[in-house]
Amino acid sequence: MIGVFDSGFGGLTVLSALLRELPDYDYLYLADSARAPYGARSAEVVNEFTLEAVEWLFEQGCPLVVLACNTASARALRNIQQLHLPKRWPDRRVLGVVRPSVEALAGIPVGTVAIPDQTAPAETSGLVAVLGTQATIASDSYGIELRKLAPRLRLLQQACPLWVPLVEAGELDGPGTEFFLRKALAPLLPPHEAPRRVLLGCTHYPLLLPALRRIVPAETEILDQGGLVAERLADWMRRHPEQEAKLTRGGTRRFCTTDDPAWFAARGEKLLGSPIRAERVRLRTA
Ligand code: DGL
């Protein structure tokens, strides 16, 4: 199975793109709904919770885990890849959403092996932007990766702390929502320079897309994170056949949550557009 982890149901925006791009594989989706949202939590806590989730997915037999959550990718991925895997699971892989998103922000075509130096075929000038939770933006993970791949591109990073609660409350449009969207987007709007691309660097934000499209300048491309992650994961699999060979292709989908499965299934079905049967599971401390 490919394990897909998110703090909650928002990561289904990434899973649904994976199911479109790579439908044959078996998937196990884990939502830590009992402890979501992660976006305002400290680095230490996000790291601890994410590690527990990854451990659980590994114990279920996933050779590959995708952190669909930006906050978890930004705060915990490097630690997991550099410290945890070599010690405990040298044959398993954990991938996040930051690196593929930065490649897309920098205009690096899919299929190009972007070596983190100045020779990566990235666009060399202009302004791009990323919107995310407080934890994602405070980590500067997008900045760190972009400086490696496209050091001359300018990056505007903007935290949007109220957007996840708006989506959770089902407030996807309307004057109240628009007020808070405009407030966070102010640095991207006239009289400021319009970015060439903006990345919705949070699993929940695609649900605000219709409202965002009306506000963000027409010349700014809004990147679809689920789609670009799925495309670049497919490419990663082509370049890592030894890892791809470990994945089973039965087309099964299993959904697990650390909170009420009925609540998760009701939310998830709307997002995924197909029926979900969810199970409650316990992580070490959730
Ligand atoms: N999944 C989180 C992310 O993509 C958003 C929700 C949360 O704050 O937990 O950053």
Side-chain angles (χ1 to χ4, degrees):
M1 288 170 289
I2 300 178
V4 179
F5 171 65
D6 184 40
S7 54
F9 66 87
L12 293 171
T13 55
V14 176
L15 180 70
S16 71
L18 293 176
L19 296 180
R20 274 196 303 276
E21 181 81 28
L22 299 161
D24 298 340
Y25 297 94
D26 296 304
Y27 289 89
L28 169 53
Y29 183 92
L30 173 63
D32 190 8
S33 307
R35 301 187 291 193
Y38 280 14
R41 292 189 185 275
S42 68
E44 198 183 337
V45 166
V46 172
N47 207 40
E48 197 180 298
F49 288 0
T50 306
L51 198 55
E52 285 177 16
V54 168
E55 274 290 318
W56 185 85
L57 287 163
F58 281 167
E59 281 158 16
Q60 306 308 302
C62 299
L64 169 68
V65 171
V66 177
L67 301 182
C69 180
N70 281 266
T71 305
S73 299
R75 285 294 201 198
L77 181 64
R78 205 155 355 142
N79 182 37
I80 292 173
Q81 285 178 334
Q82 292 176 2
L83 302 177
H84 194 65
L85 293 187
K87 238 189 310 172
R88 282 199 32 104
W89 303 94
D91 300 330
R92 312 280 179 109
R93 292 293 176 269
V94 181
L95 302 174
V97 291
V98 173
R99 174 63 185 234
S101 302
V102 167
E103 289 177 5
L105 266 176
I108 297 172
V110 182
T112 312
V113 183
I115 300 154
D117 66 14
Q118 318 231 339
T119 63
E123 286 164 6
T124 51
S125 64
L127 177 70
V128 293
V130 60
L131 309 171
T133 63
Q134 277 157 299
T136 297
I137 300 305
S139 75
D140 191 34
S141 297
Y142 279 93
I144 293 167
E145 287 299 322
L146 195 80
R147 285 191 291 277
K148 287 188 213 157
L149 295 179
R152 285 191 296 257
L153 268 187
R154 286 172 294 126
L155 176 67
L156 176 69
Q157 302 195 65
Q158 181 64 33
C160 312
L162 292 171
W163 291 13
V164 167
L166 282 172
V167 172
E168 295 270 337
E171 296 287 342
L172 305 181
D173 216 331
T177 299
E178 188 166 330
F179 173 83
F180 288 109
L181 298 189
R182 282 191 184 277
K183 193 169 175 197
L185 289 170
L188 283 67
L189 303 180
H192 303 286
E193 177 182 348
R196 182 186 304 187
R197 299 191 183 96
V198 60
L199 174 81
L200 305 184
C202 172
T203 50
H204 283 55
Y205 299 172
L207 293 159
L208 296 166
L209 193 58
L212 287 170
R213 192 56 283 178
R214 286 199 309 271
I215 301 169
V216 170
E219 65 267 39
T220 301
E221 182 190 0
I222 302 180
L223 295 182
D224 157 33
Q225 191 174 45
L228 71 88
V229 165
E231 243 186 331
R232 284 167 202 261
L233 179 65
D235 178 58
W236 181 88
M237 287 185 183
R238 282 190 291 275
R239 289 185 287 106
H240 295 85
E242 74 296 348
Q243 295 297 335
E244 195 277 338
K246 295 179 192 166
L247 304 170
T248 52
R249 290 168 168 254
T252 64
R253 285 88 176 90
R254 185 179 163 207
F255 297 90
C256 296
T257 169
T258 53
D259 207 327
D260 179 12
W263 183 90
F264 176 84
R267 292 291 180 108
E269 282 173 2
K270 276 194 210 142
L271 248 177
L272 217 52
S274 57
I276 287 180
R277 206 174 51 81
E279 306 159 43
R280 177 159 183 227
V281 296
R282 283 175 199 280
L283 304 184
R284 210 178 315 148
T285 55

